[in-house]
Amino acid sequence: MHACRTATLALFDGMDHETFCRQPHSDFSPVGWHLGHIAYTEALWLLQHSAGDRPLFPEYHRLFAQDGMPKGDRVKLPPLSEVCDYLKAVRAKVFDYLQIAPLDQQERLWRWILQHESQHCETVALILELQKKRPELSRSQSNLKPQTSSMVCIPAGYFEQGNESLDALDNERPVHQVYLETYCIDRTPVTHQAYRSFIQSNGYQDVRWWSSEGWQWLQKNPVTHPLYWREDPTYANHPVCGVSYYEAEAYARFVGKRLPTESEWEKAASWNSQAGTRSLYAWGDQFPDATRCNYGHEWSTTTPVDRYPANLAGCYDLLGNVWEWTATWFDRYAEFESYPYPGYSQVYFDGEHRVLKGGSWATRPWAMRCAFRNWYYPHMRQMLSGFRCVSDANPECLSATVIKDSVL
Ligand code: AVJ
Ligand code: FE
């Protein structure tokens, strides 16, 4: 909790009041609101609900509660120093309570609190990213060869999806068996170099590649490249970042592929088909560290898709770097039980949010694992979102995977 808080405060270090209160996009609250909401949520669950304390700083409740007021009304905030005092006062009481709290009954809640702070900090990071000046894009001078990333084949069979460790959020539970036919999945997220061929072939003007909702969205939002598109050739091997689901879907159709279902993504990321075992992370069960992937502001930007080691299946960059869109609607697993409150996941089981997997360069280690499920409306592109593609089993990919295995 201390390490997480140190990183949280670092995001706000020296921030001016304008940045603290600015709402750069109507779908997001100002960063200052997120900071207050972190304190509010910690006090609500650990001090009020668990310790049985009276509400601390009741004057902040309406402002910082999840459902207190509309996002647009959250721009009038106390100064950063006051919100920091609020955080400190709550934290002091929380650590006092930690001395006597029955952790054997509450560990799940404490771990949830840590992940709640982690997730809000990722939102802070993406709001700050939105406010950064982006370089004007010039017409591309470079002439990189169009290329689609190579694929690996995942053999048919059952795997275990989900997570029921103490960290598992309500929407990850329970672990359950899922059968998938053989399929092929991209080794890496789609890179700038690969996506450039879509842009240069006028993919953004070509109705053939777009779903009807996607095309409608594009007419109302006439974008011509991902939000965080970089012309600089040094980014050729970085993933595209800042795409809506619709753009990801259109690119996939353009290259004759499709977006993975959540199960396809998770099986490739976490399942050892030979041993029949599931791992928490793409590399095994060891807690994330800087040798594994690009997460937790280690770089504070994207890195080349093959910078870190591949997993057992031969896929790179599954965790960290950019979130990856899946074709799956965010929905409950059978036997879902909401925790700690229905507003956390359950109210989003509305058939309007798609699942994203894997985490980004801003994701904290406590909220990054193969089973972790993020969700957003398909039109959203302000998150640090990219994607990779899949296709049904095809001879080319099958033989490539066999060659790889015999070489190993
Ligand atoms: C899972 C990132 C979509 O920020 O709205 C934080 C996480 N829920 N507090 C969000 C969340 C309640 C959620 N996302
Ligand atoms: Fe929250």
Side-chain angles (χ1 to χ4, degrees), residues 1 26 41 89 108 116 119 199 236 239 271 283 285 332 366 375:
M1 289 180 83
S26 59
T41 305
R108 186 177 175 193
H116 181 264
Q119 287 190 268
I199 297 177
W271 189 244
W283 52 81
D285 289 331
R332 74 195 67 219
W366 306 283
W375 63 89

Side-chain angles (χ1 to χ4, degrees), residues 380-399:
M380 295 289 286
R381 66 204 296 263
Q382 289 73 24
M383 312 78 70
L384 305 167
S385 53
F387 64 105
R388 77 180 71 214
C389 303
V390 294
S391 54
D392 296 343
N394 60 68
E396 199 184 313
C397 166
L398 276 166
S399 61

Side-chain angles (χ1 to χ4, degrees), residues 16 23 42 44 68 74-75 87 104 146 163 188 190 192 195 200 228 259 295 298 341 365 369-370 388:
D16 58 59
Q23 194 191 18
E42 189 167 306
L44 178 69
R74 292 172 174 170
V75 292
L87 279 162
D104 50 331
N163 173 22
T188 71
V190 173
H192 275 71
Y195 198 87
Q200 289 184 339
Y228 294 113
L259 293 178
Y295 73 99
E298 175 76 10
Y341 55 99
R369 52 186 170 263
C370 298
R388 77 180 71 214

